[in-house]
Amino acid sequence: ITASSTGLNSAVFTETAVADQPKWIVVKSGNNQTAPTNTQLGAPLVGRVVDQYSNPVVGLMVTFNDGTAGGHFSSVSVPTDSTGAASTLYTTGTHVGTTSVTASIPGKNPAKFNVTVTAP
């Protein structure tokens, strides 16, 4: 921000806006995919962390988990990027049926992805 007036030196002020504390983690994309057992899903699972004003929260670690389904993640713990998003690739386990994958941050309800695992 620059303040100026005729005949005076300009004053320059710098400000930085930062997100408030994380309020929610939500599913951004990758929900409701279907794949056979032991197969990587076609799209990554992406969670997004925002503050109370829907501003992205940057650099927060998001943890992905499939409970006891036995699948594999490209990364289990992923930092949020400049848009508040964290993503991982998921390979299904051997459990046939619906698998619930969560994306979690400390102290908040997790985002939940549904993955349908079919027989090969």
Side-chain angles (χ1 to χ4, degrees), residues 29-97:
S29 63
N31 196 20
N32 296 320
Q33 295 185 67
T34 300
T37 58
N38 300 311
T39 303
Q40 183 175 297
L41 297 178
L45 303 178
V46 184
R48 184 165 187 259
V49 181
V50 295
D51 68 9
Q52 64 182 340
Y53 305 106
S54 294
N55 297 310
V57 177
V58 179
L60 187 67
M61 295 305 286
V62 173
T63 302
F64 292 88
N65 189 312
D66 70 356
T68 60
H72 301 280
F73 298 93
S74 59
S75 294
V76 173
S77 190
V78 182
T80 55
D81 65 14
S82 63
T83 67
S87 67
T88 190
L89 297 172
Y90 180 68
T91 300
T92 61
T94 58
H95 168 77
V96 173

